[in-house]
């Protein structure tokens, strides 16, 4: 596995685990906000649940990517796009806390598509 892909893998895994931790904390915040303003609390709860699902998917897909599954690389690229949408929606609610996560996921995505990484995935084609 090329170094670029190893870095991307660890960025996705650590980012996903931190996202899971932040999501659990966010659930408590959503419950508190629900008491004050039910519509805003429901919206925040929805965003947090989407973020939790995305974080869990990141960890799982990163593990599959490390095994050479090219579809996992495509799915992680889509996850980076979803994190952009999530960052845009949460800007008004949570003060833009998702933007650093989006920037980090873009960096991990770029590393997955560099020529060394591409060659590594090409070597796995036909083995599965």
């Amino acid at each position: 596995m090329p170094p670029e892909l190893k870095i991307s893998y660890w960025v996705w895994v650590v980012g996903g685990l931190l996202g899971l931790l932040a999501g659990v904390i966010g659930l408590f915040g959503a419950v508190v906000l629900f008491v004050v303003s039910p519509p805003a609390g429901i919206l925040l709860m929805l965003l947090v649940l989407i973020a939790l699902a995305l974080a869990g998917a990141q960890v799982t897909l990163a593990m599959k990517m490390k095994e050479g599954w090219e579809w996992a690389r495509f799915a992680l690229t889509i996850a980076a796009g979803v994190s952009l949408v999530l960052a845009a929606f949460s800007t008004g609610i949570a003060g833009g806390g998702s933007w650093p996560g989006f920037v980090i996921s873009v960096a991990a995505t770029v590393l997955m598509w560099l020529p060394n990484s591409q060659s590594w995935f090409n070597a796995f084609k036909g083995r599965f």
Side-chain angles (χ1 to χ4, degrees), residues 83-122:
S83 72
L84 168 63
V85 173
L86 196 61
F89 277 119
S90 69
T91 296
I93 296 171
S98 297
W99 286 109
F102 167 68
V103 171
I104 291 168
S105 66
V106 166
T109 301
V110 168
L111 289 172
M112 290 188 307
W113 290 96
L114 290 176
N116 281 344
S117 300
Q118 184 67 33
S119 298
W120 188 78
F121 279 105
N122 287 339

Side-chain angles (χ1 to χ4, degrees), residues 26-104:
L27 286 174
F28 293 116
V31 170
V32 170
L33 183 59
F34 182 79
V35 172
V36 176
S37 172
I42 290 172
L43 181 60
L44 183 61
M45 179 72 72
L46 217 105
L47 290 172
V48 168
L49 291 174
I50 292 169
L52 277 170
L54 183 62
Q58 278 181 285
V59 173
T60 304
L61 291 169
M63 290 178 182
K64 291 297 179 187
M65 177 194 67
K66 187 177 178 184
E67 295 173 6
W69 294 94
E70 193 165 10
W71 62 265
R73 179 172 61 155
F74 286 114
L76 285 168
T77 303
I78 292 168
V82 171
S83 72
L84 168 63
V85 173
L86 196 61
F89 277 119
S90 69
T91 296
I93 296 171
S98 297
W99 286 109
F102 167 68
V103 171
I104 291 168

